[in-house]
Amino acid sequence: CGAWGCLEQFTNLEVRVLSVCAQQITTLFAAIREKRLEFVFSDGEQVYMDNKVGLFMTRDEHDTASQFDLRRTPSICNAFRTFAISEADTYAVIYVSLVSFGFRVQDAASTANKIKMLYMFCEHRLSKQAHYHFRLKNISNVLHALRSLRLKSSSSGENADLNTIVVTVLRQVNILQLVPEDVSIFMSLLAELFPGLSNGIGSRASD
């Protein structure tokens, strides 16, 4: 068992808050290195240690604001061993998330591939805009919205089709950021990847 958390734009926190985080991270890593069964956390509380615990941090090397904050709190960076990844496996992220939301494995596999293809097409076919994000950040927003809709439909006793929910969320997350000339292209991509819903998509394209 385990837990995973994502603190988006973590380095936009105030420097004094980052300093506290650095102290807590250092305390945790010291306990891991010393293989303690329990240790005293920074707030003075006695904490039991699971020796399987791990802590990872990702950062954008091109984000100059984040780099500035991290330089002012070098103890955070110094606590971590640095390694680089070329690109996240978006299919795996989407697939695992959909399964964890309670969707069937077969449906999740097919839909994950469609979402991955959609964002790949968006990067190549839509115009280049500074505010466009068709990578993991945008996909994460889609997954969060999917989870919320899934929970809502389950609590109301509905058994909504995965593709229907996905198309709804993809429109909600992406349409508002698109410039007018890209909206029709995006909608045609949706209709191409989700042909069974093409009529419904087309009728809502001008919402």
Side-chain angles (χ1 to χ4, degrees):
C1 64
W4 177 84
C6 176
L7 303 179
E8 188 175 357
Q9 297 181 342
F10 175 76
T11 49
N12 287 341
L13 294 172
E14 296 181 14
V15 174
R16 60 186 179 86
V17 178
L18 287 172
S19 297
V20 174
C21 293
Q23 179 186 358
Q24 295 175 334
I25 290 170
T26 301
T27 301
L28 175 61
F29 280 169
I32 294 173
R33 283 193 299 270
E34 296 170 11
K35 299 181 179 180
R36 297 183 185 177
L37 298 179
E38 57 184 54
F39 67 99
V40 178
F41 203 49
S42 58
D43 60 359
E45 182 180 354
Q46 192 81 6
V47 178
Y48 292 99
M49 168 66 73
D50 182 342
N51 60 12
K52 299 183 182 67
V53 69
L55 188 61
F56 305 88
M57 178 178 69
T58 60
R59 56 178 178 152
D60 186 352
E61 292 292 340
H62 302 290
D63 187 344
T64 55
S66 295
Q67 295 305 303
F68 176 74
D69 279 340
L70 286 171
R71 283 196 299 270
R72 295 180 64 183
T73 53
S75 53
I76 290 184
C77 291
N78 293 340
F80 290 84
R81 177 171 60 88
T82 303
F83 65 94
I85 58 174
S86 58
E87 188 173 353
D89 187 341
T90 54
Y91 171 82
V93 171
I94 299 168
Y95 170 72
V96 171
S97 297
L98 293 178
V99 173
S100 72
F101 299 161
F103 293 109
R104 295 190 308 172
V105 171
Q106 296 88 341
D107 293 340
S110 173
T111 302
N113 190 53
K114 290 180 180 180
I115 295 175
K116 177 183 177 180
M117 291 177 64
L118 173 68
Y119 281 99
M120 181 180 67
F121 290 151
C122 285
E123 283 197 285
H124 291 89
R125 298 189 188 181
L126 301 188
S127 62
K128 305 301 180 184
Q129 305 291 333
H131 67 282
Y132 279 4
H133 295 284
F134 297 118
R135 295 294 180 95
L136 201 55
K137 180 178 180 179
N138 187 300
I139 292 174
S140 296
N141 293 335
V142 168
L143 293 174
H144 285 306
L146 276 172
R147 180 178 181 275
S148 297
L149 276 181
R150 172 65 172 178
L151 291 174
K152 182 179 179 180
S153 63
S154 297
S155 62
S156 62
E158 299 177 3
N159 188 21
D161 174 67
L162 173 57
N163 285 336
T164 302
I165 297 177
V166 167
V167 170
T168 300
V169 169
L170 287 171
R171 290 183 67 256
Q172 291 175 346
V173 171
N174 290 287
I175 288 294
L176 291 180
Q177 75 163 331
L178 299 179
V179 295
E181 57 267 29
D182 283 335
V183 173
S184 60
I185 301 175
F186 178 79
M187 299 306 295
S188 67
L189 291 174
L190 272 181
E192 183 179 335
L193 290 168
F194 299 91
L197 301 174
S198 58
N199 292 334
I201 294 171
S203 66
R204 294 191 296 269
S206 59
D207 288 354

